[in-house]
Amino acid sequence: MPTLRYFTVVPRLPAELEKLRELAYNLWWSWAPAGQELFVRLDPGLWEAVHGNPIEMLASVDQGRLEELAGDDAYTSHLESAWQTFQRYMQREGWFSRSFPEAAGARIAYFSMEYGIHECIPVYSGGLGVLAGDHLKAASDLGLPLVGVGLAYAEGYFRQALNSDGWQGERYPINDWRRMPVSPVLDGAGKRLVVDVTYPDAVVRAQLWKVQVGRVPLFLLDANLEVNAPRDRSITGPLYGGDQEFRVRQEIMLGIGGMHALAALGLSPTVCHMNEGHSAFLALERIGRVMRERGVSFQVASEANSAGNIFTTHTPVPAGNDVFDASLVRRYLEPYRSALGVSDAELLGLGRTDPRDNDAPFSMPVLAFRAADHYNGVSALHGDVSRKMWQGLWPELPTHEVPIESITNGVHTPSWVAAEMGDLFTRYLGPRWAERCDDAELWERTHEIPDAELWQVHEHRRHRLVQNTRRWVRAAAERRGAGREELDWADEVLDPRALTIGFARRFATYKRATLLLTDLERVKKLLADPERPVQLVFAGKAHPQDRGGKDLIRRIIQESRDAGLRGRLVFIEDYDMRIARTLVSGVDVWLNTPRRPHEASGTSGMKAAANGALNVSVLDGWFAEAWHDHSWEVGWAVGRGEEYPDGTGDLREAELLYDLLEREVVPLFFARDGSGRLPRGWIKRMKNAIAKLTPRYNTARMVREYAKRFYVPAIRMSHNLTDGDLAAAKALTAWKERVREAWPSVSVADIRLLSNDEVAVGEAVRVSAAVRLGALTPADVAVELYHGPTGGKLELGEGRIVRMGPVERLADGAWLFSGEIPTTASGAHAFAARVVPYNEAMSHPYETSLIRWA
């Protein structure tokens, strides 16, 4: 083989259009209409053909067209206006710096296995990645000092191709980074910046690419270098491909390699946010760096770092979390273990619910929990589920006290609202609606939009959905080599006037994509009514190894060929963000039918709601709390939040879904006013959905919550523990060691009820407790009364806490504590006493997992 020399060809832009190049390399254009329209105007057909990739666009557009536009003052003035808007955006003072001046100089590093920013950078697979992309966009809007870290997948997630039987096949086209809005990262000498990542059998080198997302940079590690062996190059090959060993290798590159990358860039993170457990190995690298740089023990370095680590879990079932064989993790972490100064058992124990269980596998979420002081689920219901799932890490705590909080996901509204809908919002809500996505008062003005205008815009979007679907279905048929009859049929699928129900997401079996097809005869009757036509549009991918998910897709394809469903039931192949935007802005109803409580959050229904679509959903994930807050005003609920063992409730919930569609949804959609044109009742619900859901379920609100509840407290605590010679971290470590040593001697020796056992409402119940503390003092502990109503049962449900105060040292060495339980309601009540370690330097009172009940 000859030695290859590489070079890059870049578009030659006329001087008048040179600003297009800088705009192209900043993904700001992906959510700013003023920016995106510039590229569409170059050649609308070509823009569609290159999947909205501005670099591919500039490389492919006719040079004569560029010269023509350079002399077109209408275009150049449009370019200058967009450029000025972009400059104002990049230079404006951010909400974060105004709100938290004490956090100046801090940096937040956000780690995620995937990022869905725009379809032209295919390093995402689904909801987790799109959420990460929306998180970066909102961080840019709000001016957070945040940097993203991920992997540059040579193959990315697969492209879907269905055969004639409807069975999913996968294609893995190679990503050409030079033809994407991605820039190589160079060192001070102008050469590619490369980092080294240690594996048991080799040191793997990785170069860096930068994606600029507004004001936030995203750095992607790329191991696809000739200097690496083929096996090592594949580490950044496919997204979510390979076996367990492949996943471990990828997650070492993300977590440990990501920390190396930040160090090479001179970006020292104050806070590291782990978006799922994939990046949890970063904690070991952070600890090792502090040990080397500050000359402290593993325990001190761990204490110093945990305050600055945040972990967001997205998976509500144990099987969905990364768990690896201990021998595999032992081999891959051995190069790091000795430098950390811990034994093999201690290192593996960090990833085990019970560190003493030598037979347990190694869990990445457990490592993330142990290495962080701040953790959350992604909806209120998911927070409850997570506390139950991971209670084993705090075995003595009642479930509701497990310190896993919840911050409900959101969507980056400007990225998902259709252009025509955005124009409507500008007209009636004002030009700054995109900057005020979480302003509830502003969104109440949605009710001022005239019904006729809102309906006209919505019908236009439905027509656009039908047109695009016909084009996509035809293109898929052509790729399969379909005959003339099928191609002609593709040109006629769907009815622009029909009630359109959309279902698009990852095809995991728990999401029950075919629940609506349980009773085919009933579905045919629903869809075939000539007076009230209904149609179904499906899209989504199944994981390559998920045969169950693939079976669901095949069933939909096969049912779509039934004479009673043909043309009214359609599956769109190769789902991506482009198709998602068309669907959420064009359907009338967004259908969501997971088995509760398996949907951690879900965000597609939020995107649909911002465009005026109404949700029909099981009460799971985000919609459970939306329904609780707003009930029927924003859509329809399937059931009342019942939970069934897997599969046993499917028939029941299918029946509820049919009844809902037949008796409420379809009649309301076709109930027109006196003019026969407008469905006033439906439009009222559309306005309610937009006004009530949009200001709550967006990433502006979500990122503000992360900043207020996690980022800023973590920055503050991290500074407290790491300032100077780590004195605070050393002191907290020593204190925890002292508490653990003394804890076997801690007990509640005696509890006395000082009041009558029957009191009137409003009268306090006085309690005393004698507590043996051994070598500890009252300042080292919190003695608490855990109390609440029993409802006549023999146990407490979710109790409340009253702190007791020390009174005196008793003759036998115990300490006497006293406290009062307030009473606000009659009925049977109970209480228990307990002792927990207390230190104001801890991020939360249960860091040690120690608790002693009476």
Side-chain angles (χ1 to χ4, degrees), residues 614-615 623 626 630-636 685 688-689 692-693:
L614 301 182
N615 278 268
F623 195 70
H630 304 296
S631 192
W632 58 270
E633 297 175 328
V634 296
W636 291 269
R685 288 206 188 197
N688 282 333
K692 297 182 183 302
L693 300 183

Side-chain angles (χ1 to χ4, degrees), residues 62-175:
D62 182 75
Q63 191 69 36
R65 175 61 173 163
L66 293 175
E67 299 293 346
E68 175 190 342
L69 290 173
D72 183 343
D73 59 356
Y75 187 83
T76 55
S77 63
H78 180 184
L79 173 57
E80 184 60 29
S81 174
W83 176 259
Q84 293 301 327
T85 301
F86 172 63
Q87 292 300 314
R88 286 192 297 273
Y89 176 86
M90 295 297 288
Q91 295 166 13
R92 74 187 186 193
E93 183 185 16
W95 164 83
F96 186 86
S97 60
R98 292 195 309 271
S99 303
F100 308 106
E102 70 275 19
R107 180 171 287 107
I108 303 156
Y110 183 91
F111 286 72
S112 183
M113 197 74 167
E114 50 174 301
Y115 288 91
I117 302 166
H118 188 267
E119 61 269 21
C120 69
I121 305 179
V123 292
Y124 67 94
S125 72
L128 180 73
V130 173
L131 173 78
D134 281 7
H135 194 112
L136 298 194
K137 294 173 186 176
S140 171
D141 292 343
L142 297 171
L144 269 69
L146 187 139
V147 55
V149 180
L151 300 181
Y153 302 101
E155 300 171 25
Y157 204 52
F158 68 90
R159 303 296 299 273
Q160 184 185 58
L162 305 182
N163 65 18
S164 57
D165 188 45
W167 188 255
Q168 174 185 288
E170 295 85 32
R171 296 183 294 113
Y172 293 89
I174 300 299
N175 287 324

